[in-house]
Amino acid sequence: MTDYDVLRVFCGPNGGYGNELGVVREGSVMPGRDERQAFAAKAGFSETVFVDDPERGVIDIYTPTLRLPFAGHPCVGTAWLLDVPELVTPAGVVGARQDGEFCWIEARAEWVPPRTLRRYGSAAEVDDLAVPPPGEWVYAWAWEDEPAGRIRARAFPGRGDGIDEDEATGAAALLLTDRLGRALNITQGAGSQILTAPQPGGWTEVGGRVRLER
């Protein structure tokens, strides 16, 4: 069995919650895309990362059913694990920095695969949502406190691959930040926290806490 680390990314203020992430630090042991895809399907995380060059931060990201050019929580978690200033993804070079208890990445909204950002009238409406049928990637959100930039969100990938709901989704948070044009403090899933901030030149920072599970 290939060795891999398990992280929780975008943990809540008490260190709980967060979205699990598998990271294969020695990507060279599994160089082929087909075998990586099969491993990601077997591992069953919403995303699994293969590190192809730990010093340069070259990574390859997979869901249980497909390869992604960029994804938020895998980049935040892997940047924290490798402690590198940038990550090289198929979409582009992702900036990274550590700031106290938070790890931040900087990326672009155009790198994010299509998502439906669906606004609801209240946080309670978001809480009460049932998982929609497969076919559409939905990021459901509502203001908890608009002046303070606080948002309640849930994410439904809709891929039919066993991941019915994502506990924390950095890429969708990035898209929402780009659309709203302001910094956000997002509570997603059961209790994960995602912080975001627009940056000059069309970039957006996404940050959160990361914990090593094993």
Side-chain angles (χ1 to χ4, degrees):
M1 184 66 178
T2 300
D3 288 335
Y4 62 97
D5 295 292
V6 180
L7 311 177
R8 285 186 295 110
V9 185
F10 298 126
C11 296
N14 65 354
Y17 306 106
N19 197 2
E20 284 194 323
L21 172 71
V23 181
V24 180
R25 295 203 207 199
E26 297 292 335
S28 59
V29 304
M30 202 177 299
R33 288 192 186 181
D34 288 346
E35 56 186 331
R36 289 182 175 187
Q37 187 64 78
F39 181 87
K42 185 176 181 180
F45 301 114
S46 57
E47 279 98 9
T48 299
V49 172
F50 298 86
V51 180
D52 290 320
D53 187 331
E55 294 184 0
R56 292 178 52 229
V58 180
I59 64 171
D60 198 16
I61 307 167
Y62 291 78
T63 75
T65 53
L66 53 89
R67 183 176 187 250
L68 297 177
F70 166 79
H73 106 273
C75 285
V76 171
T78 307
W80 177 87
L81 184 67
L82 300 180
D83 193 19
V84 291
E86 64 182 28
L87 295 171
V88 181
T89 73
V93 178
V94 177
R97 65 182 177 89
Q98 310 288 333
D99 180 16
E101 63 179 325
F102 292 95
C103 180
W104 293 83
I105 61 165
E106 189 175 61
R108 306 186 66 85
E110 57 261 34
W111 296 350
V112 179
R115 304 278 191 267
T116 297
L117 305 179
R118 187 168 294 161
R119 181 178 176 179
Y120 288 83
S122 69
E125 288 182 58
V126 174
D127 288 339
D128 290 341
L129 290 173
V131 175
E136 185 180 20
W137 211 117
V138 176
Y139 196 61
W141 70 278
W143 290 111
E144 283 191 314
D145 184 339
E146 187 170 356
R150 292 178 53 237
I151 277 177
R152 175 71 176 114
R154 292 173 65 193
F156 306 105
R159 296 185 297 256
D161 60 4
I163 309 297
D164 294 331
E165 181 171 353
D166 253 348
E167 173 61 25
T169 314
L174 189 160
L175 273 184
L176 184 59
T177 303
D178 183 70
R179 175 182 290 186
L180 297 177
R182 58 177 295 183
L184 302 175
N185 182 346
I186 301 170
T187 300
Q188 186 178 322
S192 301
Q193 183 180 26
I194 306 169
L195 302 181
T196 68
Q199 300 298 312
W203 294 87
T204 300
E205 276 200 321
V206 179
R209 303 173 187 83
V210 185
R211 299 287 183 268
L212 180 65
E213 288 279 89
R214 68 169 182 81

